[in-house]
Amino acid sequence: PCRMDAGETSSTPMVLVIHSYHKGFQWTDILGETIISSIREKIPQADFVVEYMDTIRYYGPGYLFDLALIYRQKYESMDFDLIICTDDEALKLMRYYGPSLFPGVPVVFTSINDHSLTRQLPGQAITGIIKDTPVKETADLALSIHPDTETLLLVCDSSRICKENVKRFLSLGKDLPQQLNVLAISDLTFLELTEKLKALPERTAVLIIRLQEDPAGTMIMSDDLAGVFSKDYKYPLYTTFGPLIKYEGFLGGVALF
């Protein structure tokens, strides 16, 4: 197959889909199926190559570089018509290595938290969807169901994006209920988080914004995280991260799927 030039139509358009996470991760599976089915509705003959970066389970210094070397070996003789990136790490890979790996191939992104990643790529057209984490909407939901809540605890990991979401929520100031005491914790290990949760005052609601990496940079699996909250957890628990809602203990949230 070869890349389409202006005014030409390839009989078999080639699409490379790069997922930040792994196959079997609910969020990624739903997103991937939706992308492929939506394109095939319009272009039934489209052919897809799908890569899973698996950055929840594997990450660290040099990982993106190693993936770039692998992709160069696999795809140096292939011409793609479009590259689709889901979530931040896939677009980060394209930002660092895309112009040399896939020169001139347009990029579409979806579910991006870090707005800085969406800047124009050298020599490549780029467009897509940025997601804003619905912290305020989830807090409003929790307070409407539990109107006697006196303390709202925001739980965050070590990522800059999550901390920016907390800062944005706290900046609402007068738009928050006057009687509400808002606390925020971040950069905690599992053990530290468990101890913090034991010491919460009565009439507290907990909102988990993001917990995907610990202070050491180790990625946290949703199954492990859910285990912290499923054992006799007594506070109302909400989240903005869709895949967590299915687990015992989580009451819901205005979540991103």
Side-chain angles (χ1 to χ4, degrees), residues 54-239:
D54 207 1
T55 59
I56 291 180
R57 298 183 291 195
Y58 304 101
Y59 203 76
Y63 183 61
L64 293 185
F65 177 74
D66 292 340
L67 283 178
L69 291 179
I70 293 171
Y71 293 168
R72 184 180 301 279
Q73 279 192 316
K74 291 177 70 173
Y75 301 124
E76 63 180 352
S77 63
M78 295 184 68
D79 289 327
F80 291 104
D81 299 297
L82 179 67
I83 297 172
I84 299 175
C85 298
T86 71
D87 297 285
D88 289 29
E89 299 307 324
L91 188 57
K92 190 180 297 182
L93 176 82
M94 287 302 300
R95 177 150 296 283
Y96 293 162
Y97 304 109
S100 61
L101 288 174
F102 310 107
V105 182
V107 175
V108 174
F109 58 82
T110 184
S111 304
I112 301 300
N113 287 296
D114 187 348
H115 295 198
S116 68
L117 294 173
T118 64
R119 299 189 306 271
Q120 185 62 48
L121 292 171
Q124 290 180 281
I126 180 170
T127 188
I129 299 172
I130 300 171
K131 66 181 181 184
D132 290 319
T133 305
V135 179
K136 175 65 164 57
E137 293 84 351
T138 301
D140 288 343
L141 174 65
L143 295 176
S144 69
I145 297 174
H146 309 280
D148 60 344
T149 297
E150 296 177 355
T151 301
L152 177 65
L153 177 68
L154 307 178
V155 182
C156 202
D157 62 12
S158 303
S159 67
R160 174 179 60 85
I161 298 301
C162 192
K163 292 175 182 177
E164 287 179 357
N165 283 320
V166 170
K167 185 177 179 181
R168 193 176 301 118
F169 180 79
L170 295 176
S171 71
L172 295 173
K174 64 181 181 180
D175 293 329
L176 301 175
Q178 290 186 351
Q179 79 280 6
L180 185 66
N181 179 32
V182 181
L183 304 176
I185 57 175
S186 63
D187 301 290
L188 299 182
T189 64
F190 263 170
L191 179 59
E192 291 169 334
L193 176 60
T194 302
E195 293 303 312
K196 283 281 188 182
L197 294 175
K198 289 179 181 178
L200 291 176
E202 295 295 325
R203 298 185 179 180
T204 295
V206 179
L207 198 171
I208 295 182
I209 301 172
R210 184 183 190 271
L211 272 177
Q212 287 187 260
E213 59 184 88
D214 67 13
T218 303
M219 303 305 283
I220 299 172
M221 298 297 292
S222 296
D223 288 348
D224 297 331
L225 177 60
V228 174
F229 300 101
S230 63
K231 299 177 180 177
D232 302 320
Y233 193 71
K234 64 179 183 179
Y235 301 102
L237 181 64
Y238 293 81
T239 182

